[in-house]
Amino acid sequence: MSVRKISRWRGGIIVGAAATALVVAGIGGAHFAAADAPPATGQVTLTETMAVSGTFDGTNRRFIGGGDLGGGGQDEGQDPLFRLANGATLENVIIGAPAADGVHCQGTCTLRNVFWEDVGEDAATFRGTGATVVIEGGGASGAEDKVFQDNRGAGGSVTIRDFEVEDFGKLYRSCGNCSTQARRDVVLSNVTATAPGDVLVGINVNFGDTARLSGVTINGGDIGLCDLFEGNDSGDEPEKVGEGPNGTNCVVS
């Protein structure tokens, strides 16, 4: 197991003595800045969704919602600030508040060095069949529920690497009650999570979802690695059936 600086994951298992020093440092007042964005080079207010095809480089400007995108609530079904066409890349963007529903990927997409200062409904939602999603660099904070919502159809994968998250519910959730379900695979590599936080990954074991985690660092708190659910296509709230690595669906290496 290569999860670093974890005092425990839910279930009470002690991982390493290095975590003890980390927790003590936290009590002593050290702040683990897990998801700080770089200084913004300017600010743009979007009153309607920006459609992106190809590559959009935000040059570290901050984008916020205005008008119909400026509510700042947690309601489902909001429009995003950015809608990425299949194959698009969004990079060097800071998403401030209000953030509406963040980013929607209609298929394969790359999010590179994107920072969410205060996650709205979700930071990003993924759709499409056979879609490959890469989140590289960046960070997110202030997610009451999910950071990344995976509604993709069969095929493809989601990779989250070199990413930092703090003050969140779930970093990644494979949709538990979408009308069309499929196996979904996610890889987390070199992710740093700072409390408060609930769990890194939520997956549906009955559909064969997999989560592979490596190089994960957890700072403080009781942040879980994986929550295991029995998903459905009826729209009902999915049932949680387990948690933690099980060697099949949730694998830590």
Side-chain angles (χ1 to χ4, degrees):
M1 177 180 285
S2 65
V3 179
R4 298 187 298 273
K5 300 181 181 177
I6 300 179
S7 57
R8 56 186 177 140
W9 55 273
R10 286 182 302 199
I13 295 179
I14 302 298
V15 175
T20 303
L22 179 65
V23 172
V24 170
I27 293 173
H31 173 63
F32 301 99
D36 289 346
T41 59
Q43 182 162 304
V44 178
T45 299
L46 297 177
T47 57
E48 59 183 26
T49 299
M50 178 183 290
V52 176
S53 59
T55 297
F56 177 77
D57 185 345
T59 63
N60 285 339
R61 286 173 294 171
R62 177 183 292 110
F63 293 80
I64 64 172
D68 291 341
L69 298 178
Q74 291 290 317
D75 296 338
E76 296 289 337
Q78 295 184 55
D79 288 330
L81 294 185
F82 296 93
R83 180 175 288 111
L84 275 57
N86 185 39
T89 295
L90 184 71
E91 62 185 15
N92 303 320
V93 163
I94 301 168
I95 295 180
D101 200 26
V103 178
H104 286 186
C105 288
Q106 301 302 102
T108 292
C109 69
T110 298
L111 306 179
R112 182 179 297 118
N113 297 328
V114 177
F115 291 84
W116 290 263
E117 294 180 318
D118 188 0
V119 173
E121 181 186 346
D122 298 316
T125 302
F126 312 128
R127 298 187 172 91
T129 299
T132 298
V133 176
V134 176
I135 300 105
E136 184 176 51
S141 62
E144 288 188 24
D145 188 8
K146 307 170 296 295
V147 178
F148 298 123
Q149 173 70 34
D150 190 359
N151 297 346
R152 294 175 305 117
S157 63
V158 172
T159 298
I160 306 168
R161 59 178 178 242
D162 303 324
F163 192 83
E164 300 178 328
V165 62
E166 63 181 344
D167 187 13
F168 65 103
K170 293 178 178 66
L171 174 58
Y172 166 93
R173 179 66 169 106
S174 173
C175 184
N177 55 9
C178 284
S179 59
T180 300
Q181 291 284 30
R183 167 180 167 170
R184 303 183 183 100
D185 301 302
V186 62
V187 175
L188 271 65
S189 175
N190 298 326
V191 169
T192 299
T194 297
D198 182 18
V199 66
L200 292 180
V201 170
I203 54 176
N204 307 309
V205 294
N206 57 315
F207 296 132
D209 289 356
T210 66
R212 300 187 179 276
L213 289 71
S214 63
V216 171
T217 300
I218 295 179
N219 293 326
D222 190 17
I223 300 172
L225 298 181
C226 291
D227 277 354
L228 311 177
F229 293 90
E230 179 156 341
N232 62 73
D233 58 6
S234 64
D236 294 335
E237 189 66 24
E239 178 185 0
K240 182 179 173 180
V241 296
E243 61 185 40
N246 65 359
T248 302
N249 304 94
C250 177
V251 177
V252 180
S253 60

